[in-house]
């Protein structure tokens, strides 16, 4: 589903991604960990062309993202993304947040979109917030709406960039639970996270990025219990 070969990213003089190779299979759940500033977000953002690729190949869902001729809107319609901040449309109810893209971009009728959206709200445990304004919800509830909104486009791949980092600790669990359920249903997911417990439990593969390079990757067991790279071990000793 994702094929990345020798990906480099420069921001002016700074060489942020320095040759990343990575293939991700359908239904795989990959957690990306690593120190702040190591290039995790940039790596994720290159997958749906929120950042341009400086060098190398990035193929996502059959779209050659590095190719200037690729229809990036079509690519992004098939890739859901959830950020640290919730980014809900503040002037729309929860339900309307979920209706907009499917109606505008998928050509769904309102009735069809409402039925689908209600199913998604049930899935994230927020059926009772259907007509609420985003500002009346807790951060965790807003983030669950953001996940539902991304799912409303029926993406074949979901990217998460530290989806729980901005939340109060007691709100993190509900969001992780929604993501865990998605993983169980077979959604392909790439998740940048500092939640090591979650990564250990849910990931099929953990990728450790430092200094713009994949320093080490493996099963959660391999990475958390027997890291081979001293950088991985040192990072884990600080966060575990
Ligand atoms: P992480 O998500 O691992 O914390 P990022 O991918 O956000 O790291 O950033 C990696 C490096 O790239 C950092 O040094 C950051 O300052 C730099 N960077 C990220 N985005 C930009 C940008 N738009 N312009 C310039 N530098 C950037
Ligand atoms: Mg980041």
């Amino acid at each position: 589903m994702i094929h990345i070969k020798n990906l480099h990213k420069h921001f002016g003089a700074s060489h942020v991604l320095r040759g990343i190779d990575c293939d991700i299979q359908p239904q795989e759940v990959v957690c990306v960990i690593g120190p702040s500033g190591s290039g995790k977000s940039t790596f994720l953002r290159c997958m749906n062309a929120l950042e341009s690729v400086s060098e190398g190949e990035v193929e996502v869902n059959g779209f050659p993202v590095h190719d200037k001729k690729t229809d990036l809107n079509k690519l992004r319609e098939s890739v859901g993304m959830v950020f640290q901040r919730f980014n809900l449309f503040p002037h729309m109810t929860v339900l309307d947040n979920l209706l907009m893209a499917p109606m505008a971009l998928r050509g769904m009728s309102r009735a069809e979109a409402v039925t689908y959206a209600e199913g998604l709200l049930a899935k994230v445990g927020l059926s009772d917030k259907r007509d609420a304004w985003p500002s009346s919800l807790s951060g965790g509830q807003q983030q669950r709406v953001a996940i539902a909104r991304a799912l409303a486009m029926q993406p074949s791949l979901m990217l998460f960039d530290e989806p729980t980092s901005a939340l109060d600790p007691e709100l993190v669990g509900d969001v992780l639970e929604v993501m865990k359920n998605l993983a169980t249903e077979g959604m392909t997911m790439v998740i940048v996270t500092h939640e090591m417990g979650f990564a250990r439990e849910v990931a099929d593969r953990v990728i450790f990025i430092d200094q713009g390079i994949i320093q080490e990757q493996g099963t959660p067991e391999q990475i958390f219990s027997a890291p081979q790279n001293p950088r991985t071990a040192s990072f884990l000793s600080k966060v575990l």
Side-chain angles (χ1 to χ4, degrees):
M1 178 152 285
I2 299 177
H3 171 69
I4 293 172
K5 205 171 147 194
N6 193 32
L7 166 62
H8 289 258
K9 176 65 185 176
H10 300 264
F11 289 110
S14 79
H15 194 177
V16 170
L17 299 180
R18 301 186 298 131
I20 291 197
D21 296 297
C22 179
D23 287 297
I24 294 175
Q25 310 305 321
Q27 307 207 328
E28 202 178 358
V29 176
V30 175
C31 284
V32 179
I33 62 172
S36 176
S38 59
K40 305 180 298 298
S41 295
T42 305
F43 176 49
L44 208 62
R45 291 163 66 83
C46 282
M47 291 183 197
N48 66 350
L50 289 178
E51 300 293 354
S52 64
V53 171
S54 303
E55 186 191 326
E57 286 170 26
V58 177
E59 234 172 76
V60 174
N61 240 342
F63 292 93
V65 180
H66 54 276
D67 186 339
K68 303 247 177 316
K69 294 191 287 290
T70 299
D71 183 343
L72 297 180
N73 289 324
K74 279 274 170 290
L75 159 76
R76 293 193 188 111
E77 282 176 26
S78 72
V79 180
M81 181 140 185
V82 176
F83 302 88
Q84 188 171 346
R85 298 270 160 205
F86 329 117
N87 303 313
L88 296 176
F89 304 118
H91 56 293
M92 291 183 188
T93 64
V94 164
L95 182 70
D96 283 331
N97 263 276
L98 269 60
L99 298 183
M100 206 182 79
M103 287 174 64
L105 302 172
R106 284 269 188 269
M108 271 196 202
S109 71
R110 185 174 174 92
E112 217 182 337
V114 167
T115 305
Y116 196 67
E118 286 176 340
L120 290 172
L121 287 176
K123 190 188 239 192
V124 301
L126 292 173
S127 294
D128 58 327
K129 300 296 182 189
R130 181 184 184 277
D131 300 312
W133 296 103
S135 58
S136 73
L137 305 181
S138 74
Q141 290 170 333
Q142 290 185 47
Q143 195 60 306
R144 285 185 281 151
V145 174
I147 294 172
R149 187 179 59 176
L151 293 172
M153 283 297 283
Q154 307 183 5
S156 37
L157 165 69
M158 287 284 285
L159 307 177
F160 295 86
D161 193 357
E162 298 194 29
T164 59
S165 294
L167 300 178
D168 291 334
E170 74 273 21
L171 304 177
V172 167
D174 287 341
V175 174
L176 294 180
E177 190 63 32
V178 165
M179 294 168 62
K180 202 183 299 178
N181 290 339
L182 268 182
T184 308
E185 288 171 13
M187 177 61 80
T188 311
M189 298 161 75
V190 186
I191 305 161
V192 176
T193 187
H194 292 295
E195 296 289 337
M196 298 300 152
F198 173 83
R200 188 182 262 267
E201 187 185 351
V202 177
D204 296 308
R205 177 161 41 130
V206 175
I207 292 180
F208 173 66
I209 293 191
D210 192 12
Q211 302 189 329
I213 288 175
I214 295 182
Q215 303 279 354
E216 183 166 5
Q217 56 181 314
T219 63
E221 183 66 18
Q222 286 167 335
I223 297 295
F224 292 117
S225 302
Q228 300 299 304
N229 185 319
R231 284 179 192 278
T232 319
S234 156
F235 172 73
L236 291 174
S237 75
K238 289 177 203 139
V239 297
L240 285 178

